Amino acid sequence: MTRSRWMYLAIGLVAVLVAGLLVWRPWTAGADPCSAAVTSTGRLPAATSLAELASPGEREIVTSVQPPFGQQRAAVPRSGYPRPGVGGTVVLESADGAVGAVDARTGERVWAFEQNGTVFGAAKAGGGMVLLQQADGSPATAISIGIEDGQVRGCTTFPEGEPAATGATVVAVAERTVALLRRDDTGGATLSLVDPARAEPVWTREVDLPDNVEYASAAGDTIVFGAAGTDPTSAWQLAVDERGTVTPEDLRLYAFSATDGAPLWDYAHEDFASQVVGMAFGTVVVRASRFDEHGGRFANRLIALDARTGEELWSAEQPASSATYYEQSTVFGDVVVSSESDPQRGTFVHLAARDLTTGEELWRIPNRITKLERAGLVGDLAMIPGKTGRGMELVNVRTGESRTAFDGLSVNSTSADGTSIGVEFHLSGEQVLVTYERLG
């Protein structure tokens, strides 16, 4: 071999070595954290015959449909936290760390994974489901699974040597990214933005948040944390403070930039407990309540904040309500819908809507619903679970026109994507997800 050829070979070997060092990870000598993070499982159910899950009378109600419901397709027992996916795929998530998907048309299980080690949660981002976990002896990971096919699309690995997380909150931020808030046993908290297409987190920074602040919402480039979720139970607990553990700091909301994690603002209306009920079009909608222990009632307000600055855009007083229950609000596009009390007639008497931009009331109708936070939207129709045994209410969020569907059955939740609708019924003593073609 000539001297020049030896020289080129040496240069090539150096280039390969340098490239290898650039992509080297400390775990290359052992197991890849990404491959150890999740395991295929068959624990999530697939569909079965509706005849095996429902009585003849229940089946008649389930299959007697009109738009927006098309042909009934599949029935999945013990569905566990169903949520719409993409392309007619419904994502299922169990309480013990199993996540998967079924085909809404056939009911066949498309994929299912068990998260290993400490489970931080999962969030839908774009066409993928991002699973976050930390397998024993490995760094924390975030893996993106294609919802339609179950293929691993990317994996982010967090740096080694970080304190073990004792609690975590996950929220989808944008088309592909999720935010992860982790707490450790030293009392510290770190906030990270993750894009599973990248090998490392986009950014991570320490944040100062009260211990009870564990719920998150996000839209655009703003992430908002609070001590209450969108459900009425956590909001009631925050406002009433039965255990005497709530601090004034717990009543506030805390916003951070999704660009770099920098703090943006914090907010509370006087000494009211703050609950984010939705974020849309650069607006954060807050339901605020103050408990009057002597009167046994809540004072209530509905407030819209600018997501970037935290400034109030509008604020509307809501009727006082009994502390036995907690009134609800949610956001459907550019409409805010709330249940409201009546001083003479009690709680949950009215269902009312306000314009997201102006706060002006759009309509008010008799309330026949529950579980606003578990409602789905098809066009302008909100599919809201009704009272026990009364099916669901299909409410036009523009006009307030309402009609009942599936009367005679109890509905726990509804969801929809571009092709399918999912309804979680209570059939013969258990929760069953029933899917339909979507019309319109």
Side-chain angles (χ1 to χ4, degrees), residues 81-374:
Y81 309 113
R83 67 181 87 177
V86 293
T89 306
V90 178
V91 175
L92 308 177
E93 185 177 351
S94 72
D96 56 355
V99 182
V102 298
D103 188 312
R105 294 171 291 270
T106 66
E108 295 180 356
R109 188 189 298 113
V110 180
W111 56 269
F113 288 103
E114 184 173 353
Q115 295 173 262
N116 298 323
T118 302
V119 176
F120 298 146
K124 177 179 174 289
M129 199 72 188
V130 181
L131 314 182
L132 296 105
Q133 56 281 307
Q134 184 168 8
D136 296 338
S138 296
T141 55
I143 295 181
S144 178
I145 307 292
I147 290 177
E148 293 185 88
D149 55 18
Q151 297 298 308
V152 175
R153 295 183 173 182
C155 177
T156 295
T157 303
F158 289 77
E160 287 193 300
E162 294 183 330
T166 58
T169 300
V170 179
V171 61
V173 176
E175 182 65 18
R176 296 186 311 178
T177 58
V178 299
L180 172 64
L181 173 70
R182 289 175 294 166
R183 298 184 183 275
D184 59 53
D185 55 11
T186 68
T190 57
L191 180 62
S192 303
L193 187 74
V194 176
D195 179 350
R198 300 173 60 165
E200 298 177 350
V202 179
W203 51 257
T204 296
R205 67 185 298 158
E206 294 183 359
V207 293
D208 185 15
L209 284 173
D211 291 343
N212 288 332
V213 172
E214 57 178 327
Y215 297 93
S217 302
D221 57 0
T222 304
I223 310 165
V224 181
F225 291 93
T230 56
D231 63 291
T233 301
S234 63
W236 184 92
Q237 291 171 338
L238 177 64
V240 173
D241 186 22
E242 281 188 308
R243 298 181 180 179
T245 60
V246 175
T247 67
E249 289 75 22
D250 295 333
L251 304 179
R252 305 185 70 82
L253 301 174
Y254 301 85
F256 296 84
S257 168
T259 303
D260 57 10
L264 295 177
W265 49 264
D266 62 273
Y267 171 87
H269 176 77
E270 299 176 358
D271 57 349
F272 283 51
S274 303
Q275 177 196 28
V276 175
V277 296
M279 294 177 64
F281 304 105
T283 303
V284 182
V285 181
V286 179
R287 187 174 186 91
S289 298
R290 179 171 58 196
F291 176 52
D292 177 2
E293 186 174 359
H294 299 292
R297 300 180 69 79
F298 288 123
N300 302 302
R301 293 197 75 84
L302 200 59
I303 303 162
L305 306 176
D306 183 293
R308 286 294 300 172
T309 66
E311 296 179 1
E312 285 191 8
L313 302 176
W314 54 264
S315 178
E317 185 177 3
Q318 302 286 92
S321 58
S322 167
T324 305
Y325 304 99
Y326 198 85
E327 299 281 5
Q328 304 171 48
S329 300
T330 197
V331 178
F332 295 111
D334 58 357
V335 177
V336 184
V337 177
S338 304
S339 62
E340 294 186 5
S341 297
D342 183 277
Q344 282 74 44
R345 299 168 59 192
T347 54
F348 305 123
V349 174
H350 305 290
L351 195 66
R354 293 182 181 273
D355 182 272
L356 175 67
T357 303
T358 66
E360 295 181 1
E361 185 170 300
L362 302 176
W363 48 262
R364 176 179 295 267
I365 61 175
N367 183 26
R368 293 188 289 270
I369 63 90
T370 59
K371 303 173 184 171
L372 261 175
E373 81 281 5
R374 298 185 182 181

Side-chain angles (χ1 to χ4, degrees), residues 400-414:
E401 295 181 33
S402 176
R403 58 184 171 88
T404 303
F406 306 112
D407 194 10
L409 296 178
S410 294
V411 172
N412 187 53
S413 68
T414 69

